[in-house]
Amino acid sequence: MRNEYAYTGMDELLAGSFRAAVYCRLSKDDDLDGESASISNQRDMLEGYCEKQGWEVAAVYQDDGYTGLNMERPDLKRMLKAIERGQINLVITKDLSRLGRNYLQTGTLIEDFFPRHGVRYIAMNDGIDTMRENNDIAPFKNILNEMYSKDISKKVHSSYLLKAQKGAFTGCLAPFGYRKDPEDRNHLLVDKETAPIVRRLFAWALEGHGPNYIRRRLEEEKIPCPTWWNRERGLRNVRTKWEKKDPENGRYIWDFSVIKDILMNPVYAGDIASQKKEYRFKIGTIREKKPQDWIVVEGRHEPLIDRKSFAIVQSKLKSRQRPRQGGEVSLFAGLIKCGECGKSLTIRTTNEKHPKQIYSCKTYNAYGKHHCTQHRIEYDTLYRLVLNKIRACARAALVDGEAVAGKLSDTCQAEQKGQREALERALSKDRERLDVLEKMVLRLYEDMVAGRISETNFALLMEKTQKEQAELKAKVEDGQRKLDDENRLSVDARQWVELIQEYADITELDAATLNRLVKEIVVHEHIDSEKTRHISIEIHFNLKPIPEVEQVTA
């Protein structure tokens, strides 16, 4: 039921000064409310009301298909940006739940963000207007909206769980190689156009080839990836990162994880596997479940590969996931990067008569020479270069420690500036929110003492507020610690010089020494007109942003 307001003469005087933002939202859960909840009906109702009051509608913002628990909605964010720019000073929604169903974040908008930016907020059907003294019900509305969402979430999850146990397919899109049965949307039929592609993937895997080999073959044979097929059929309007880079040929580049997921999915053996992810209310998916924890119902549709072959493929995939010989971790693990694509360099042993350990670019290994070059460097060569550079720096520090410390301090200050400013902004924002929460706690206590809310509701509100306070305080402490570290960096220059001096006569490298001294090792490759590979490496030391470069020609 709509609430009409009895405005005074002052409202008529102020009417022309309001620049209103009409905000509408609809999610799948809201479909239950019927046509009255539709985006167009919300917009018409709110625009008509603004016209009646003599308010200028500066903009209409609409988020269709977004849950109220998600505060990262595109048009909500656009509206908040417009408010920050001073383009809007009145926000109007059909009811409070249209603004959001997350009680803490919605409360922050109403209690903090809007007042701080001089914005009036009206929830028409709830009778909420921040210019009036009639908003005591707002916190309770927020909690009820969140409780409603939680109840809906439980019901939806229970429904999906029941369908999973019966072996019904509940995905939005049919798996690649299948299509949904038009007579039963929970049943799958073989897609004659894409099923042969899936069978080829399994045939290659049965021959002992891994996802990287299969990916190269798919690109060579110009077979489009599943994202392209979905777009061509009007099922999705998205593009892969490769399609964005190369609109003509990007469609033929398959992602490693897509191929691996297809090869591991029991759906291709005729089974339905569901409940693969662990979900939490308000957070969403928090982790992938292990295959043994999936709900799998066998024999639900026509398979694309027989069960025995599927089991062989799983065994071959598992055998490819082996640690390095002896199970040891690479000495340079986590430190060595490609200077061109930014991905890690991975270590392997060559198949030569006298095997060598080499590092090469992960992108090259996965996608081939069309996407990055090999950036090959032998383990022994890298080891020698890094060891020599540490010794050289240590000896330079011994000869003239003051000069090295001074140079280090100057460069650290330049490196720090941007990082320090970003940390300071984040800290300031978190501290402002803590101040707001402290005021909310005081107001809640006053409301309970005055009898405006019950002790039960007070306890519920306090529990949620104090939880957010605790999380924010921990975040602030962590941020302050990082800021202190940044501020101390240049002061530590002399200590770093003293530290590096200890390694002037070092004869061996170990992981502890490397991670203590080295921040990152970047490998560059240039191939000249005579096809000779020139490798250069940058050794970035901790607390020392100036790259030290050694050249190696292969």
Side-chain angles (χ1 to χ4, degrees), residues 33 105 167 171 205 217 226 310 447 449 469:
D33 294 341
Q105 291 173 302
R217 287 296 302 271
F310 182 79
D447 286 348
V449 172
Q469 277 182 311

Side-chain angles (χ1 to χ4, degrees), residues 152-413:
I152 289 290
S153 176
K154 286 180 180 177
K155 289 175 180 176
V156 169
H157 180 71
S158 297
S159 172
Y160 275 110
L161 184 61
L162 185 61
K163 286 183 177 181
Q165 290 166 344
K166 291 181 178 179
F169 178 75
T170 57
C172 296
L173 293 177
F176 188 67
Y178 287 99
R179 60 185 177 87
K180 288 188 177 183
D181 187 339
E183 296 180 4
D184 180 3
R185 306 300 288 175
N186 298 124
H187 181 249
L188 297 174
L189 298 176
V190 173
D191 178 12
K192 293 179 181 179
E193 201 170 6
T194 57
I197 301 172
V198 174
R199 292 190 180 104
R200 292 197 70 185
L201 263 65
F202 277 98
W204 280 321
L206 281 167
E207 291 170 4
H209 299 300
N212 283 328
Y213 170 88
I214 294 171
R215 176 164 50 189
R216 288 194 290 272
R217 287 296 302 271
L218 289 165
E219 185 177 1
E220 288 168 5
E221 297 185 20
K222 294 190 178 298
I223 298 173
C225 64
T227 302
W228 181 87
W229 287 97
N230 288 334
R231 193 172 63 252
E232 283 295 297
R233 294 173 173 183
L235 300 173
R236 284 287 186 273
N237 188 27
V238 294
R239 283 173 167 74
T240 66
K241 62 180 180 181
W242 303 109
E243 289 179 290
K244 291 174 183 176
K245 287 181 181 178
D246 183 356
E248 182 63 30
N249 298 306
R251 73 185 76 171
Y252 307 124
I253 304 173
W254 290 53
D255 192 76
F256 177 94
S257 62
V258 171
I259 297 170
K260 190 175 178 183
D261 287 346
I262 288 174
L263 295 176
M264 292 180 65
N265 196 338
V267 74
Y268 297 107
D271 306 336
I272 290 291
S274 307
Q275 302 292 303
K276 297 179 181 179
K277 299 176 180 178
E278 194 166 338
Y279 174 86
R280 288 288 182 275
F281 176 67
K282 289 208 301 185
I283 299 172
T285 300
I286 57 173
R287 66 176 64 89
E288 302 281 341
K289 291 182 181 178
K290 295 178 181 178
Q292 58 265 33
D293 296 327
W294 298 350
I295 294 177
V296 180
V297 181
E298 297 182 353
R300 295 299 301 165
H301 51 264
E302 183 182 343
L304 296 186
I305 183 172
D306 64 87
R307 202 171 295 281
K308 183 179 179 181
S309 297
F310 182 79
I312 292 171
V313 170
Q314 304 317 299
S315 176
K316 287 181 178 294
L317 285 172
K318 191 174 181 181
S319 69
R320 298 181 70 87
Q321 299 170 357
R322 56 184 181 272
R324 291 187 64 214
Q325 191 174 8
E328 77 275 14
V329 177
S330 164
L331 184 65
F332 297 98
L335 295 175
I336 187 166
K337 310 285 183 186
C338 173
E340 276 58 60
C341 72
K343 291 295 179 71
S344 299
L345 267 64
T346 55
I347 193 168
R348 67 179 178 87
T349 303
T350 63
N351 295 319
E352 301 167 350
K353 184 177 180 181
H354 301 289
K356 299 175 183 176
Q357 286 189 319
I358 64 165
Y359 283 97
S360 58
C361 173
K362 188 175 182 180
T363 298
Y364 171 84
N365 294 339
Y367 297 99
K369 63 184 179 182
H370 298 298
H371 302 284
C372 199
T373 54
Q374 190 175 16
H375 290 74
R376 169 175 168 157
I377 184 167
E378 293 181 9
Y379 174 88
D380 290 340
T381 303
L382 180 65
Y383 185 100
R384 174 175 51 79
L385 288 168
V386 174
L387 180 61
N388 289 343
K389 181 51 61 177
I390 290 174
R391 284 176 182 161
C393 286
R395 287 166 185 164
L398 283 169
V399 171
D400 193 349
E402 289 295 325
V404 173
K407 186 178 179 182
L408 181 60
S409 295
D410 292 341
T411 53
C412 282
Q413 287 172 6

Side-chain angles (χ1 to χ4, degrees), residues 7 14-24 43 45-62 75 78-80 82-83 86-94 114 118-124 129:
Y7 290 112
L14 290 172
S17 65
F18 282 116
R19 297 179 305 282
V22 167
Y23 180 75
C24 313
R43 184 179 62 247
M45 179 192 303
L46 297 173
E47 285 182 329
Y49 187 79
C50 289
E51 184 180 352
K52 185 177 177 182
Q53 303 304 322
W55 299 334
E56 173 197 353
V57 176
V60 176
Y61 300 93
Q62 302 175 172
D75 260 26
R78 281 204 314 119
M79 183 179 75
L80 299 181
I83 289 172
Q87 297 170 342
I88 290 164
N89 60 5
L90 187 150
V91 172
I92 182 167
T93 61
K94 177 193 166 192
F114 289 160
V119 173
R120 175 182 180 183
Y121 172 67
I122 294 174
M124 266 186 55
D129 182 350

